[in-house]
Amino acid sequence: MSVKLNKTIGGILLVAGTQIGAGMLALPLTTGIAGFKCAAITFFLCFLYMLTTLFLVLEGNYYSSEKSVNISSMAQIHLGKKAEIVAWLCFVLLMYSALSAYISGASDIFKNIFSMILPDLKTTEIFRSIIVTTIFGTIVFYGAKCIDSINRILMIGLGASYLAMIATLLPNISSSNLVQSHVKYLPAAIPVVILSFTSHIILPSLRNYLDNDIKELKKVLIIGSCIPLLVYLLWVLIIVGIIPFEGKYGMFAIAKSNHPIAMMSNAIGNYVGSNIIGQNNNLFSFCALTTSMLGVLLSLQDFLADGFKIKSSGMKTRIGLILACTIPPLLLIFLSPGLFIDALSYGGVFIAILYGILPPIMVWKARYKNNLASEYMFPGGKLALITIMIIAILIISTQILLTQGYLPTA
């Protein structure tokens, strides 16, 4: 295999791996209650929109000769210090939202684990969340080598459990579940789906990894984004096809639950008639949550260290950075238990600001005010830039309307 082909494959897997994470667990709970047909349409439209913004960020990135320039640096270059602060804050809030969701979801899985080992033990979500945070904060404390070793094991578990679910659950799908639709619940799913198709954060690294080859970059972004689309469609097809909408363990009951991840695993075991299959879903959920959590914790730690110009080599400094990463999400869980879906939804809002509003403004200024040249130019002119911004504003507005109770949720 040539070096170029090897890098292309590696880049595709990086894009796909960045998009496929714990957000995948929320997709059946958000899009699933609207029905599979509605979910499929939503996936495709959000996939197209996020791929579009990915290519727009690519153009913005190419206005800089520095390959590793990130979104906050791009905002500072094109729009000034205030825009850089907005980008910086949105990124940090995105990380905190994601961590809150991951910790809350992992707490659900720990609840199932505790109930199997010690059936009489009663634990609170905040207690379980502290245990989850302590375990994974400790792994991050010991550095990238420790994270890499643990992550490899978790990724093997993730892949094996996903394949096992596909093989065991596909024969149990009921076609009657797939034909139902509840369109009114669709808007509530959009912010989470947007978040689930996000890989923009690794674009600067990809540009450097692929030796600034624009042709290979475009190929990697398209193919790498198509893989999650197929994975998500198959995943939601299986869950919606197995779990009916109504009933004690139905989709509506799961979506309303404060512990949806654990309840979804129990529902799968209940409808398939196999506790082992339900536990396999627990394993898949645990691996999906924890691999994402490790990546976000490490990224946020490095981001804060860089932003505050802190050297993260000393023990006290590393402990301080980990506490800065984990205390805000824990406070959110303490104030609002069971926020798995809500936290991911707000993450979608920060994504819309970071990659749906800032890039069109930056590109507009670079193209039409400063007359800069880029090796790659996104097609569509001013109309495309305006359309991307309008869609981002609609996504943000949707979440605001949902929060205020003007749009229905399960």
Side-chain angles (χ1 to χ4, degrees):
M1 183 184 294
S2 69
V3 174
K4 185 176 180 179
L5 179 58
N6 187 49
K7 284 191 171 186
T8 299
I9 293 171
I12 289 169
L13 294 177
L14 278 170
V15 173
T18 305
Q19 292 185 26
I20 299 171
M24 180 177 175
L25 300 176
L27 294 177
L29 309 174
T30 54
T31 63
I33 59 172
F36 178 70
K37 289 185 289 186
C38 291
I41 293 169
T42 305
F43 286 162
F44 186 68
L45 293 177
C46 289
F47 156 77
L48 287 178
Y49 179 68
M50 293 309 290
L51 186 61
T52 295
T53 62
L54 195 53
F55 274 93
L56 191 60
V57 174
L58 180 64
E59 177 181 341
N61 194 269
Y62 264 94
Y63 284 117
S64 173
S65 58
E66 177 59 48
K67 296 178 186 177
S68 60
V69 62
N70 58 38
I71 189 68
S72 59
S73 298
M74 288 164 58
Q76 193 276 328
I77 292 169
H78 297 292
L79 304 175
K81 191 67 179 177
K82 289 182 180 178
E84 181 188 20
I85 293 171
V86 169
W88 196 91
L89 285 174
C90 283
F91 184 84
V92 171
L93 291 171
L94 169 63
M95 296 291 104
Y96 282 143
S97 298
L99 279 174
S100 298
Y102 300 163
I103 294 169
S104 177
S107 167
D108 275 7
I109 305 302
F110 270 64
K111 182 182 180 182
N112 276 358
I113 293 171
F114 287 145
S115 66
M116 286 189 294
I117 299 172
L118 300 166
D120 297 326
L121 180 65
K122 304 297 181 183
T123 59
T124 63
E125 182 176 358
I126 190 65
F127 172 76
R128 296 190 303 272
S129 297
I130 290 171
I131 291 177
V132 169
T133 306
T134 302
I135 292 171
F136 289 95
T138 303
I139 294 171
V140 173
F141 172 81
Y142 281 104
K145 188 174 181 181
C146 180
I147 293 171
D148 182 50
S149 300
I150 299 294
N151 195 59
R152 285 172 188 262
I153 297 170
L154 291 170
M155 286 301 295
I156 291 171
L158 181 66
S161 57
Y162 180 77
L163 291 174
M165 280 196 300
I166 299 301
T168 54
L169 294 180
L170 266 177
N172 294 280
I173 289 176
S174 170
S175 58
S176 61
N177 290 344
L178 298 177
V179 297
Q180 298 184 55
S181 295
H182 302 87
V183 182
K184 65 179 181 179
Y185 297 118
L186 202 53
I190 292 173
V192 175
V193 182
I194 288 293
L195 179 67
S196 301
F197 280 107
T198 302
S199 57
H200 304 55
I201 188 174
I202 65 164
L203 190 54
S205 302
L206 278 175
R207 183 180 169 190
N208 189 53
Y209 178 67
L210 295 171
D211 302 316
N212 220 27
D213 188 331
I214 186 67
K215 184 179 178 181
E216 290 304 304
L217 257 174
K218 290 192 285 187
K219 184 192 302 182
V220 160
L221 296 180
I222 293 170
I223 299 174
S225 296
C226 286
I227 293 172
L229 176 63
L230 297 174
V231 169
Y232 294 157
L233 283 169
L234 184 57
W235 171 238
V236 174
L237 172 74
I238 288 173
I239 300 301
V240 176
I242 289 174
I243 303 175
F245 288 91
E246 306 292 345
K248 181 181 177 181
Y249 290 104
M251 292 300 302
F252 289 123
I254 296 171
K256 290 176 182 177
S257 170
N258 283 335
H259 308 287
I261 302 300
M263 191 171 176
M264 184 166 68
S265 295
N266 293 336
I268 290 172
N270 180 70
Y271 287 112
V272 176
S274 169
N275 188 52
I276 294 175
I277 293 176
Q279 295 310 319
N280 181 65
N281 186 71
N282 271 330
L283 174 62
F284 169 74
S285 300
F286 178 78
C287 292
L289 285 163
T290 51
T291 51
S292 298
M293 193 191 310
L294 285 173
V296 171
L297 268 174
L298 183 61
S299 298
L300 182 56
Q301 176 191 254
D302 293 342
F303 188 81
L304 291 177
D306 179 62
F308 291 111
K309 310 302 179 187
I310 299 171
K311 292 183 178 180
S312 57
S313 54
M315 180 181 292
K316 289 183 178 179
T317 305
R318 293 207 308 276
I319 292 173
L321 284 169
I322 289 170
L323 290 175
C325 292
T326 55
I327 288 177
L330 282 174
L331 287 174
L332 285 172
I333 292 170
F334 178 76
L335 295 171
S336 179
L339 48 60
F340 179 69
I341 299 296
D342 289 341
L344 290 176
S345 296
Y346 280 104
V349 169
F350 299 128
I351 289 293
I353 297 171
L354 279 170
Y355 302 117
I357 290 180
L358 288 177
I361 297 173
M362 290 187 289
V363 169
W364 186 293
K365 187 173 181 182
R367 280 187 197 173
Y368 305 117
K369 288 192 175 181
N370 297 334
N371 296 314
L372 299 179
S374 173
E375 189 173 337
Y376 169 76
M377 182 172 285
F378 183 80
K382 293 180 179 179
L383 180 61
L385 300 181
I386 293 170
T387 303
I388 290 169
M389 285 184 62
I390 290 173
I391 294 173
I393 292 168
L394 289 174
I395 293 167
I396 297 166
S397 302
T398 297
Q399 185 58 41
I400 293 172
L401 292 172
L402 286 165
T403 304
Q404 297 301 314
Y406 292 115
L407 289 175
T409 56

